[in-house]
Amino acid sequence: MASYKEKKLFTPGPLCCSRSVKEAMLHDVGSRDVNFVNCVRYIRKTLLEVAQVSAEEFTAVPLQGSGTYSVEAVINTTSPRQGAKVLILSNGAYGRRMNSICSWAGIEAIFQEFPEDKKIDLSAVESLVKGSVQYTTICVVHSETSSGVVNPIREIGQLVRQFQPNAAYVVDAMSSFGAVPIDMKTCHIDYLVSSANKCLEGVPGFAYAICRTQHLLSCKGNCRVYSLDLVDQYLNLEATGQFRFTPPTHTMLAFQRALEEYQKSGGLEGRAGRYRTNRRILKEGMKDLGFKELLDDSHEGYIITSYFFPKHPKFCFSTFYSKLSELDQVIYPGKVTKADCFRIGNIGYLFPEDMEHLLKCVRQVLGDMGLQVPLDA
Ligand SMILES: Cc1ncc(COP(=O)(O)O)c(C=O)c1O
């Protein structure tokens, strides 16, 4: 029988979850079972509460799969089969992924790339949206998990609404929803996408879009991919309370528990507070060890941090990673293209004592590798 050691995941995902969230999965339920239908209803309703939007204006549509499936579903659903034009504002890997989604589907996209270590530049966005081109969808990533940059989605949304009133404004808030405040109203967001196993700390297996219902209904017939049609998924959920195809039942049970725990532990404020503390401990501890961050101090993100590889001949990332993993601490490779970095996440079921322990392990591993601290990074 395969067996796995419990490890702490300081990654962008999959992330650690509480034992009680995992235990909530220990039931086989039928997709038509009234308890399961109620579970789906509870999740859809509670997601709107977390987003602080009304059920008259918005609807939460869960979909099987990882986060990318829901991003792909939103882009495909909001893009008419004729005349779609998607503007992608990108400063990292997840913005680039949106561009791949469009090219895969044959959807015309204008891909505007910005430096990976800076927030998206608003004056450039203004010039783009002010022009004569009418976009059908404008997409941006909120917390670019590939670097840690948090983009100004409110200011971008205001420009979108002012100059492109008919475009759907899509925000990939995969790694921020539930832990970084997002006011969907003042940000003018039409579609917000996130997934079960991010800041709400469920287990992986489904993602969701919080959609402006009127806009969603106007998209009927757009989607080129049967299984990703969010309008169809929405209509079916409304009519029957059920997914169209086999739902991730165990994952949904876990997510219901995760939402209950989220609310009990102080909701957005509680989650943001814990992650901010995690980030502060990490930032101070890594600085004491001599590591340098990719982003300068003007960045206030507290989801994930990118660190430059130390410029020391004895530093080898794969050894560093493996030795930390042997101590049950899992970090992550970098994902920016122009610098050698690794990443450490603060999200998931991680607490200040976990961050302190990670720092002790990092110090130990550096010593084992023959690197003196503080590093001369
Ligand atoms: C901002 C962002 N978008 C999209 C994704 C893709 O999600 P998944 O890997 O669950 O498909 C991620 C994953 O971490 C992410 O952080």
Side-chain angles (χ1 to χ4, degrees), residues 200-265:
L200 296 176
E201 300 182 4
V203 306
F206 79 95
Y208 47 87
I210 297 178
C211 318
R212 197 181 290 279
T213 314
Q214 278 311 316
H215 192 281
L216 180 66
L217 287 170
S218 77
C219 295
K220 195 163 169 44
N222 285 351
C223 195
R224 298 146 186 78
V225 185
Y226 183 45
S227 60
L228 296 181
D229 188 338
L230 275 191
V231 180
D232 213 35
Q233 176 81 337
Y234 163 73
L235 292 173
N236 210 73
L237 280 162
E238 289 293 302
T240 65
Q242 293 166 24
F243 279 54
R244 288 176 302 164
F245 316 123
T246 305
T249 44
H250 300 84
T251 304
M252 300 295 279
L253 296 179
F255 196 63
Q256 177 170 17
R257 177 68 59 84
L259 285 172
E260 288 161 0
E261 292 183 3
Y262 175 78
Q263 289 180 320
K264 260 200 206 138
S265 60

Side-chain angles (χ1 to χ4, degrees), residues 264-280:
K264 260 200 206 138
S265 60
L268 177 90
E269 265 175 49
R271 199 67 32 114
R274 170 153 62 86
Y275 293 170
R276 276 206 188 95
T277 306
N278 288 350
R279 156 76 180 147
R280 183 179 47 73

Side-chain angles (χ1 to χ4, degrees), residues 307-340:
Y307 288 100
F308 288 114
F309 286 0
K311 287 194 205 81
H312 190 291
K314 286 193 177 152
F315 183 82
C316 160
F317 177 70
S318 62
T319 309
F320 183 61
Y321 175 93
S322 308
K323 285 184 172 293
L324 280 171
S325 181
E326 281 162 22
L327 298 172
D328 306 330
Q329 313 293 297
V330 179
I331 61 163
Y332 227 57
K335 215 171 162 90
V336 290
T337 50
K338 295 204 172 79
D340 286 331

Side-chain angles (χ1 to χ4, degrees), residues 79-216:
S79 298
R81 292 195 187 196
Q82 301 290 326
K85 218 176 261 282
V86 179
L87 173 63
I88 298 162
L89 305 167
S90 165
N91 55 348
Y94 295 108
R96 288 195 292 277
R97 189 171 295 177
M98 289 170 165
N99 194 38
S100 304
I101 286 170
C102 288
S103 54
W104 214 265
I107 295 169
E108 185 182 344
I110 288 74
F111 179 62
Q112 184 63 42
E113 203 155 23
F114 296 88
E116 287 177 309
D117 58 350
K118 299 204 167 41
K119 292 179 189 207
I120 287 176
D121 176 52
L122 292 171
S123 55
V125 173
E126 181 165 350
S127 317
L128 276 165
V129 295
K130 250 183 175 170
S132 55
V133 180
Q134 293 294 302
Y135 299 103
T136 45
T137 303
I138 298 181
C139 305
V140 69
V141 175
H142 183 212
S143 165
E144 230 322 331
T145 328
S146 52
S147 60
V149 173
V150 178
N151 282 314
I153 53 171
R154 171 174 296 132
E155 291 79 357
I156 295 172
Q158 285 163 351
L159 290 169
V160 168
R161 223 13 98 239
Q162 186 179 353
F163 296 109
Q164 299 278 335
N166 299 321
Y169 181 38
V170 174
V171 173
D172 170 348
M174 204 70 71
S175 63
S176 54
F177 182 66
V180 180
I182 300 173
D183 181 345
M184 288 192 59
K185 278 246 149 134
T186 56
C187 292
H188 301 283
I189 299 171
D190 297 307
Y191 296 83
L192 177 150
V193 182
S194 190
S195 75
N197 181 238
K198 286 287 193 274
C199 299
L200 296 176
E201 300 182 4
V203 306
F206 79 95
Y208 47 87
I210 297 178
C211 318
R212 197 181 290 279
T213 314
Q214 278 311 316
H215 192 281
L216 180 66

Side-chain angles (χ1 to χ4, degrees), residues 7-18 198-199 201 270-271 273-279 281-282 302-303 328-331 344-358:
K7 296 194 180 198
K8 293 286 175 189
L9 307 177
F10 300 89
T11 69
L15 300 170
C16 290
C17 321
S18 71
K198 286 287 193 274
C199 299
E201 300 182 4
R271 199 67 32 114
R274 170 153 62 86
Y275 293 170
R276 276 206 188 95
T277 306
N278 288 350
R279 156 76 180 147
I281 293 168
L282 181 75
Y302 47 88
I303 299 297
D328 306 330
Q329 313 293 297
V330 179
I331 61 163
I344 298 184
N346 310 308
I347 61 174
Y349 196 67
L350 294 174
F351 290 80
E353 52 273 27
D354 298 313
M355 309 312 289
E356 304 276 10
H357 184 65
L358 169 69

